């Protein structure tokens, strides 16, 4: 679109991948935020949870999302077996007390080994320009966003192993 506007010429460009605003965050410092933990409602700052010696992974999800309900337990299993060098934190969309209870039951039933923050007003998702779940934001040890994995775009474990080799 930009090229057509600048040159005045409309030509064929081939397949354009879907636009996801969160991908604009790649290469930028991971924005800090505060959100309560699902487990105890204690406010946490994202900056205090970042690990400077690990690959940080921020996963946005919702208990009502069928893809999330499938992929989060798979990611949890991978983290249990291969999680050395990876710091996983999730951010769950929680809109009311019923959703909070349903999310807590899902996390407990799945035996999640990573903490879950509550995005009660969807402020964190807006800050990161997340429009779909699950969205996985991969953050380098220096706090810069390296990449974004959307839904089942990529194999999580394979991607994390590559990132560990690259950054650790």
């Amino acid at each position: 679109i930009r090229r057509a506007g600048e040159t005045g010429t409309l030509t064929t460009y081939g397949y354009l991948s879907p636009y996801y605003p969160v991908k604009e965050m790649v290469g930028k410092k991971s924005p800090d935020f505060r959100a309560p933990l699902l487990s105890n409602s204690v406010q946490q700052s994202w900056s205090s949870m970042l690990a400077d010696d690990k690959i940080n992974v921020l996963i946005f999800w919702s208990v009502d999302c069928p893809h999330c309900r499938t992929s989060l337990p798979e990611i949890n299993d991978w983290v249990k077996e291969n999680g050395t060098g990876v710091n996983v934190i999730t951010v769950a969309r929680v809109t009311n007390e019923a959703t909070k209870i349903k999310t807590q039951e899902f996390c407990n039933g799945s035996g999640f080994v990573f903490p879950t923050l509550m995005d009660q007003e969807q402020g964190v998702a807006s800050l990161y320009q997340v429009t779909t779940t699950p969205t996985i934001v991969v953050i380098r040890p220096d706090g810069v966003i390296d990449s974004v994995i959307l839904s089942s775009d990529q194999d999580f474990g394979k991607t994390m192993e590559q990132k560990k080799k690259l950054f650790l």
Side-chain angles (χ1 to χ4, degrees):
I1 294 171
R2 184 181 310 136
R3 189 178 304 153
E6 290 171 353
T7 66
T9 306
L10 185 61
T11 60
T12 317
Y13 292 98
Y15 174 75
L16 295 175
S17 60
Y19 170 70
Y20 294 103
V22 66
K23 289 190 174 183
E24 292 181 8
M25 305 289 291
V26 173
K28 297 179 181 172
K29 188 82 169 164
S30 176
D32 198 12
F33 61 87
R34 293 185 60 76
L37 281 169
L38 178 65
S39 60
N40 60 15
S41 298
V42 173
Q43 287 281 330
Q44 300 291 312
S45 68
W46 171 236
S47 58
S48 71
M49 299 178 86
L50 277 169
D52 62 3
D53 60 343
K54 297 180 180 181
I55 305 298
N56 295 282
V57 179
L58 188 60
I59 303 173
F60 291 88
W61 68 286
S62 169
V63 72
D64 296 321
C65 164
H67 298 293
C68 298
R69 293 180 67 87
T70 300
S71 62
L72 266 290
E74 291 171 356
I75 291 169
N76 189 58
D77 290 343
W78 182 88
V79 170
K80 285 179 186 178
E81 296 293 320
N82 309 288
T84 303
V86 179
N87 177 38
V88 175
I89 311 291
T90 70
V91 178
R93 181 175 173 254
V94 175
T95 54
N96 54 40
E97 190 62 27
T99 306
K100 178 181 177 183
I101 292 167
K102 190 175 175 182
T103 303
Q104 184 67 58
E105 288 172 351
F106 179 73
C107 291
N108 292 343
S110 300
F112 287 168
V113 295
F114 38 75
T116 296
L117 297 167
M118 293 185 286
D119 194 3
Q120 297 168 312
E121 303 292 326
Q122 293 187 288
V124 181
S126 293
L127 182 65
Y128 281 78
Q129 303 180 67
V130 171
T131 58
T132 185
T133 57
T135 294
I136 303 169
V137 180
V138 180
I139 303 160
R140 301 186 319 224
D142 65 1
V144 173
I145 297 173
D146 173 73
S147 56
V148 176
I149 303 170
L150 300 166
S151 195
S152 57
D153 274 357
Q154 303 168 24
D155 178 279
F156 179 82
K158 185 177 179 180
T159 301
M160 289 303 104
E161 291 301 330
Q162 291 169 344
K163 298 298 179 186
K164 286 197 282 186
K165 288 177 185 173
L166 188 61
F167 295 118
L168 300 181

